[in-house]
PDB file of all heavy atoms in Angstrom:
ATOM      1  N   GLY A 179     -46.239 -23.661  22.407  1.00  0.00           N
ATOM      2  CA  GLY A 179     -46.476 -22.938  23.656  1.00  0.00           C
ATOM      3  C   GLY A 179     -47.842 -22.281  23.676  1.00  0.00           C
ATOM      4  O   GLY A 179     -48.551 -22.316  24.697  1.00  0.00           O
ATOM      5  N   ILE A 180     -48.234 -21.675  22.557  1.00  0.00           N
ATOM      6  CA  ILE A 180     -49.545 -21.037  22.475  1.00  0.00           C
ATOM      7  C   ILE A 180     -50.656 -22.068  22.625  1.00  0.00           C
ATOM      8  O   ILE A 180     -51.654 -21.853  23.332  1.00  0.00           O
ATOM      9  CB  ILE A 180     -49.684 -20.271  21.150  1.00  0.00           C
ATOM     10  CG1 ILE A 180     -48.707 -19.080  21.119  1.00  0.00           C
ATOM     11  CG2 ILE A 180     -51.110 -19.787  20.941  1.00  0.00           C
ATOM     12  CD1 ILE A 180     -48.657 -18.367  19.788  1.00  0.00           C
ATOM     13  N   ALA A 181     -50.493 -23.237  21.952  1.00  0.00           N
ATOM     14  CA  ALA A 181     -51.504 -24.286  22.036  1.00  0.00           C
ATOM     15  C   ALA A 181     -51.646 -24.805  23.464  1.00  0.00           C
ATOM     16  O   ALA A 181     -52.752 -25.014  23.964  1.00  0.00           O
ATOM     17  CB  ALA A 181     -51.135 -25.430  21.088  1.00  0.00           C
ATOM     18  N   ALA A 182     -50.507 -25.009  24.136  1.00  0.00           N
ATOM     19  CA  ALA A 182     -50.544 -25.504  25.513  1.00  0.00           C
ATOM     20  C   ALA A 182     -51.214 -24.497  26.437  1.00  0.00           C
ATOM     21  O   ALA A 182     -52.003 -24.857  27.318  1.00  0.00           O
ATOM     22  CB  ALA A 182     -49.127 -25.805  25.991  1.00  0.00           C
ATOM     23  N   ALA A 183     -50.908 -23.226  26.247  1.00  0.00           N
ATOM     24  CA  ALA A 183     -51.512 -22.187  27.083  1.00  0.00           C
ATOM     25  C   ALA A 183     -53.021 -22.121  26.873  1.00  0.00           C
ATOM     26  O   ALA A 183     -53.797 -21.939  27.820  1.00  0.00           O
ATOM     27  CB  ALA A 183     -50.877 -20.840  26.764  1.00  0.00           C
ATOM     28  N   PHE A 184     -53.471 -22.336  25.638  1.00  0.00           N
ATOM     29  CA  PHE A 184     -54.908 -22.300  25.339  1.00  0.00           C
ATOM     30  C   PHE A 184     -55.635 -23.437  26.030  1.00  0.00           C
ATOM     31  O   PHE A 184     -56.702 -23.258  26.619  1.00  0.00           O
ATOM     32  CB  PHE A 184     -55.115 -22.365  23.827  1.00  0.00           C
ATOM     33  CG  PHE A 184     -56.560 -22.486  23.416  1.00  0.00           C
ATOM     34  CD1 PHE A 184     -57.407 -21.373  23.464  1.00  0.00           C
ATOM     35  CD2 PHE A 184     -57.090 -23.702  23.015  1.00  0.00           C
ATOM     36  CE1 PHE A 184     -58.730 -21.485  23.096  1.00  0.00           C
ATOM     37  CE2 PHE A 184     -58.416 -23.807  22.655  1.00  0.00           C
ATOM     38  CZ  PHE A 184     -59.258 -22.695  22.695  1.00  0.00           C
ATOM     39  N   LEU A 185     -55.008 -24.630  25.982  1.00  0.00           N
ATOM     40  CA  LEU A 185     -55.650 -25.792  26.603  1.00  0.00           C
ATOM     41  C   LEU A 185     -55.724 -25.645  28.120  1.00  0.00           C
ATOM     42  O   LEU A 185     -56.686 -26.074  28.759  1.00  0.00           O
ATOM     43  CB  LEU A 185     -54.878 -27.061  26.235  1.00  0.00           C
ATOM     44  CG  LEU A 185     -54.953 -27.486  24.748  1.00  0.00           C
ATOM     45  CD1 LEU A 185     -54.049 -28.674  24.496  1.00  0.00           C
ATOM     46  CD2 LEU A 185     -56.401 -27.823  24.362  1.00  0.00           C
ATOM     47  N   LEU A 186     -54.692 -25.055  28.710  1.00  0.00           N
ATOM     48  CA  LEU A 186     -54.659 -24.916  30.165  1.00  0.00           C
ATOM     49  C   LEU A 186     -55.633 -23.859  30.675  1.00  0.00           C
ATOM     50  O   LEU A 186     -56.135 -23.941  31.801  1.00  0.00           O
ATOM     51  CB  LEU A 186     -53.243 -24.573  30.628  1.00  0.00           C
ATOM     52  CG  LEU A 186     -52.200 -25.709  30.475  1.00  0.00           C
ATOM     53  CD1 LEU A 186     -50.814 -25.169  30.810  1.00  0.00           C
ATOM     54  CD2 LEU A 186     -52.554 -26.869  31.396  1.00  0.00           C
ATOM     55  N   THR A 187     -55.878 -22.862  29.870  1.00  0.00           N
ATOM     56  CA  THR A 187     -56.741 -21.757  30.322  1.00  0.00           C
ATOM     57  C   THR A 187     -58.184 -21.908  29.860  1.00  0.00           C
ATOM     58  O   THR A 187     -59.044 -21.132  30.282  1.00  0.00           O
ATOM     59  CB  THR A 187     -56.194 -20.421  29.794  1.00  0.00           C
ATOM     60  OG1 THR A 187     -56.089 -20.475  28.350  1.00  0.00           O
ATOM     61  CG2 THR A 187     -54.817 -20.146  30.366  1.00  0.00           C
ATOM     62  N   ARG A 188     -58.515 -22.900  29.029  1.00  0.00           N
ATOM     63  CA  ARG A 188     -59.887 -23.064  28.540  1.00  0.00           C
ATOM     64  C   ARG A 188     -60.789 -23.517  29.682  1.00  0.00           C
ATOM     65  O   ARG A 188     -60.453 -24.469  30.407  1.00  0.00           O
ATOM     66  CB  ARG A 188     -59.918 -24.090  27.394  1.00  0.00           C
ATOM     67  CG  ARG A 188     -61.287 -24.192  26.721  1.00  0.00           C
ATOM     68  CD  ARG A 188     -61.274 -25.169  25.592  1.00  0.00           C
ATOM     69  NE  ARG A 188     -60.995 -26.535  26.066  1.00  0.00           N
ATOM     70  CZ  ARG A 188     -61.052 -27.609  25.285  1.00  0.00           C
ATOM     71  NH1 ARG A 188     -61.316 -27.469  23.996  1.00  0.00           N
ATOM     72  NH2 ARG A 188     -60.812 -28.804  25.779  1.00  0.00           N
ATOM     73  N   PRO A 189     -61.951 -22.905  29.903  1.00  0.00           N
ATOM     74  CA  PRO A 189     -62.845 -23.316  31.005  1.00  0.00           C
ATOM     75  C   PRO A 189     -63.389 -24.724  30.798  1.00  0.00           C
ATOM     76  O   PRO A 189     -63.701 -25.127  29.691  1.00  0.00           O
ATOM     77  CB  PRO A 189     -63.955 -22.261  30.948  1.00  0.00           C
ATOM     78  CG  PRO A 189     -63.915 -21.726  29.544  1.00  0.00           C
ATOM     79  CD  PRO A 189     -62.482 -21.787  29.125  1.00  0.00           C
ATOM     80  N   LYS A 190     -63.472 -25.489  31.896  1.00  0.00           N
ATOM     81  CA  LYS A 190     -63.978 -26.860  31.831  1.00  0.00           C
ATOM     82  C   LYS A 190     -65.507 -26.851  31.682  1.00  0.00           C
ATOM     83  O   LYS A 190     -66.196 -26.043  32.290  1.00  0.00           O
ATOM     84  CB  LYS A 190     -63.580 -27.627  33.084  1.00  0.00           C
ATOM     85  CG  LYS A 190     -62.076 -27.804  33.229  1.00  0.00           C
ATOM     86  CD  LYS A 190     -61.764 -28.612  34.470  1.00  0.00           C
ATOM     87  CE  LYS A 190     -60.262 -28.820  34.603  1.00  0.00           C
ATOM     88  NZ  LYS A 190     -59.920 -29.602  35.826  1.00  0.00           N
ATOM     89  N   GLN A 191     -66.047 -27.799  30.886  1.00  0.00           N
ATOM     90  CA  GLN A 191     -67.498 -27.927  30.744  1.00  0.00           C
ATOM     91  C   GLN A 191     -68.088 -28.576  31.994  1.00  0.00           C
ATOM     92  O   GLN A 191     -67.567 -29.596  32.475  1.00  0.00           O
ATOM     93  CB  GLN A 191     -67.835 -28.766  29.509  1.00  0.00           C
ATOM     94  CG  GLN A 191     -67.399 -28.096  28.206  1.00  0.00           C
ATOM     95  CD  GLN A 191     -67.778 -28.949  27.000  1.00  0.00           C
ATOM     96  OE1 GLN A 191     -68.204 -30.094  27.148  1.00  0.00           O
ATOM     97  NE2 GLN A 191     -67.638 -28.374  25.823  1.00  0.00           N
ATOM     98  N   GLU A 192     -69.176 -27.988  32.528  1.00  0.00           N
ATOM     99  CA  GLU A 192     -69.802 -28.550  33.719  1.00  0.00           C
ATOM    100  C   GLU A 192     -70.646 -29.771  33.355  1.00  0.00           C
ATOM    101  O   GLU A 192     -71.374 -29.779  32.365  1.00  0.00           O
ATOM    102  CB  GLU A 192     -70.683 -27.494  34.383  1.00  0.00           C
ATOM    103  CG  GLU A 192     -69.893 -26.280  34.885  1.00  0.00           C
ATOM    104  CD  GLU A 192     -70.805 -25.325  35.606  1.00  0.00           C
ATOM    105  OE1 GLU A 192     -72.028 -25.592  35.635  1.00  0.00           O
ATOM    106  OE2 GLU A 192     -70.284 -24.322  36.115  1.00  0.00           O
ATOM    107  N   GLU A 193     -70.514 -30.812  34.181  1.00  0.00           N
ATOM    108  CA  GLU A 193     -71.312 -32.018  33.968  1.00  0.00           C
ATOM    109  C   GLU A 193     -72.739 -31.765  34.449  1.00  0.00           C
ATOM    110  O   GLU A 193     -72.968 -31.034  35.408  1.00  0.00           O
ATOM    111  CB  GLU A 193     -70.694 -33.181  34.743  1.00  0.00           C
ATOM    112  CG  GLU A 193     -69.296 -33.517  34.264  1.00  0.00           C
ATOM    113  CD  GLU A 193     -68.721 -34.680  35.057  1.00  0.00           C
ATOM    114  OE1 GLU A 193     -69.412 -35.143  35.990  1.00  0.00           O
ATOM    115  OE2 GLU A 193     -67.599 -35.085  34.736  1.00  0.00           O
TER     116      GLU A 193
END
Side-chain angles (χ1 to χ4, degrees):
I180 293 173
F184 174 76
L185 292 175
L186 291 173
T187 56
R188 187 179 64 173
K190 296 182 179 179
Q191 295 181 351
E192 297 184 356
E193 297 180 357

